[in-house]
Amino acid sequence: MFKKFAVLFYSIFVLNLVSAQHSGADAEAGSATTELSEKDKVSKENKEYIDHHLLDAHDFTLMVDKEGHHIGFPLPVIFYDNGFHAFMSNSKEGFMHGETTEVDGAFYKLHHEKIYKTDASGNLKEDEEGHVTSEKVLDLSITKSVLIILLTAVFMFLLFTGMAKSYKKSAVPTGAARFLEPLVIFVRDEIAIPNIGHKYKRFIGYLLTVFFFILFLNVLGLMPFGINVTGNITMTFFLAILTYLITTFSANKDYWKHIFWMPGVPVPMKLIMLPIELLGTITKPFALMIRLFANMTAGHIVVMSLIGLIYVFKNVVAGVAFPFLTLVIYLLEVLVAFLQAYIFTMLSALFIGMAVQEHEHEHHAAH
């Protein structure tokens, strides 16, 4: 009896479904293009929003209201083109919205946060692939990322200066030192000493600075204000360059001897290994740069994409599932913020340790 009822129910369900599909076919055909274009529009808007979130900016936007107005504050725009030019980003009408701006008789346009020279009509030259080929100016503006870097540097200076003064009064940490002292000890005992050895005191200042600098910037990058400093490859490039310069100019003769004329290796192999070892001195900072940049950028893209999918699907399942997934990824990003600061500092200490290590002394000690 139950099987007959199940078959009857299934038959009625299928007939109703087929009928509904046929009756709604014309309506769906008429609205398919509209619905598709609407989803494409939302997807495009989400992509533009993610791109804007990842890019640096010439103003600081705190939020955007329902009408699309940016709520925030302007920043100084400074660039060089036949002389220095400076103005606030909101003082030139239309500059922040990609319109042509006249400065001392010349015309400029902000496109994807880059300032290009243009004509009075605002036309930009593009190649066959759509890349802008118009002349760019030397942009020295105080952008959002630059502002955050300066504020972070001032904050760290005041924080650790106060921390140092507190130890003059008492050996027991007070205030912020109670939270920072374990991290300082961790960098010293778990990163600097194991990788560099007894010469760690020469480099502990740099290692502590780069650790906390990256950590604070990573944490700020989790804020909803679009602060993505460590996701900017220019920033990670200069951090990697600092490690490279310190490693290179601190290296002893044993380090260079093992690169240019490796001991204990046949001469033909020395000639083969020489360019490989030289290339290795460049790939090490390159790995530092890409690792930090890629991990922080990928995390931002994943979080923003999951949020954007809510507006693409617009249903109850998406409204529940994607916020939950976003929260999970966001919590992982908090872990990644600490992890990437640790990895960058640890690899920097490792590279420095390899450069200052005294191989000859170790060799004699072994005998």
Side-chain angles (χ1 to χ4, degrees):
M1 181 66 182
F2 177 77
K3 290 183 179 179
K4 292 181 179 179
F5 176 78
V7 172
L8 178 62
F9 177 80
Y10 178 75
S11 302
I12 294 174
F13 174 76
V14 172
L15 288 174
N16 287 334
L17 181 60
V18 172
S19 177
Q21 288 178 340
H22 281 288
S23 61
D26 295 336
E28 288 182 0
S31 62
T33 305
T34 305
E35 183 180 354
L36 182 62
S37 61
E38 182 180 354
K39 284 188 176 182
D40 289 342
K41 182 180 179 181
V42 173
S43 299
K44 183 179 179 181
E45 290 176 354
N46 289 337
K47 183 179 182 304
E48 291 176 352
Y49 185 77
I50 294 172
D51 291 340
H52 177 75
H53 177 82
L54 296 175
L55 285 175
D56 199 0
H58 288 75
D59 67 333
F60 202 108
T61 301
L62 298 175
M63 64 181 67
V64 181
D65 59 19
K66 294 181 179 180
E67 298 178 356
H69 298 146
H70 290 247
I71 301 173
F73 53 89
L75 295 172
V77 177
I78 307 169
F79 63 89
Y80 181 85
D81 182 50
N82 296 324
F84 285 98
H85 307 281
F87 54 88
M88 297 302 291
S89 59
N90 65 342
S91 63
K92 296 293 182 180
E93 186 177 358
F95 178 77
M96 295 308 304
H97 301 287
E99 297 181 11
T100 306
T101 299
E102 183 178 1
V103 181
D104 295 340
F107 297 93
Y108 304 93
K109 187 174 183 178
L110 185 67
H111 181 71
H112 293 303
E113 300 302 334
K114 296 179 181 178
I115 304 175
Y116 295 92
K117 293 186 67 174
T118 183
D119 52 23
S121 59
N123 296 321
L124 294 176
K125 300 178 183 178
E126 297 182 351
D127 58 16
E128 296 178 353
E129 298 179 355
H131 299 142
V132 178
T133 57
S134 297
E135 181 182 354
K136 288 192 294 186
V137 301
L138 179 60
D139 192 359
L140 303 173
S141 304
I142 306 297
T143 60
K144 181 169 58 177
S145 294
V146 175
L147 176 64
I148 294 301
I149 290 171
L150 295 176
L151 292 178
T152 302
V154 172
F155 172 73
M156 287 179 58
F157 176 79
L158 296 176
L159 182 65
F160 288 101
T161 300
M163 182 178 173
K165 290 180 179 179
S166 69
Y167 281 105
K168 294 181 179 180
K169 300 177 182 179
S170 173
V172 179
T174 58
R178 289 181 295 179
F179 302 97
L180 296 176
E181 185 182 38
L183 290 175
V184 173
I185 295 175
F186 173 79
V187 173
R188 184 194 67 185
D189 295 347
E190 302 297 331
I191 297 179
I193 294 177
N195 291 290
I196 300 177
H198 66 278
K199 295 182 179 181
Y200 78 94
K201 291 183 179 180
R202 291 174 54 192
F203 310 99
I204 188 64
Y206 169 71
L207 296 177
L208 285 172
T209 301
V210 76
F211 175 81
F212 283 102
F213 185 66
I214 293 175
L215 177 61
F216 289 154
L217 289 180
N218 286 349
V219 172
L220 286 174
L222 299 176
M223 301 296 148
F225 304 137
I227 305 169
N228 187 38
V229 180
T230 48
N232 188 325
I233 198 167
T234 305
M235 185 65 206
T236 61
F237 168 78
F238 278 102
L239 288 174
I241 285 295
L242 285 176
T243 296
Y244 175 75
L245 292 176
I246 292 174
T247 302
T248 301
F249 289 102
S250 300
N252 55 29
K253 61 180 182 180
D254 292 331
Y255 174 77
W256 295 115
K257 184 177 180 180
H258 278 72
I259 290 178
F260 288 101
W261 207 249
M262 193 174 296
V265 177
V267 174
M269 288 301 299
K270 289 181 179 181
L271 298 176
I272 296 175
M273 293 297 295
L274 174 59
I276 298 176
E277 291 293 330
L278 282 175
L279 183 62
T281 62
I282 300 174
T283 56
K284 290 173 184 175
F286 181 79
L288 284 177
M289 175 186 70
I290 295 298
R291 182 187 296 275
L292 180 59
F293 161 74
N295 280 280
M296 299 313 300
T297 302
H300 282 75
I301 292 175
V302 171
V303 170
M304 299 300 294
S305 298
L306 288 174
I307 295 174
L309 288 175
I310 300 173
Y311 299 94
V312 173
F313 290 99
K314 295 182 180 179
N315 55 47
V316 177
V317 176
V320 175
F322 291 122
F324 175 75
L325 290 174
T326 303
L327 177 61
V328 173
I329 299 298
Y330 190 84
L331 293 176
L332 287 176
E333 277 293 289
V334 176
L335 175 62
V336 170
F338 285 85
L339 185 61
Q340 289 304 315
Y342 163 74
I343 291 175
F344 192 99
T345 309
M346 188 271 292
L347 290 177
S348 296
L350 179 63
F351 298 153
I352 293 172
M354 293 170 62
V356 300
Q357 198 174 32
E358 298 176 356
H359 301 279
E360 293 294 334
H361 295 173
E362 292 178 359
H363 178 73
H364 292 307
H367 288 279

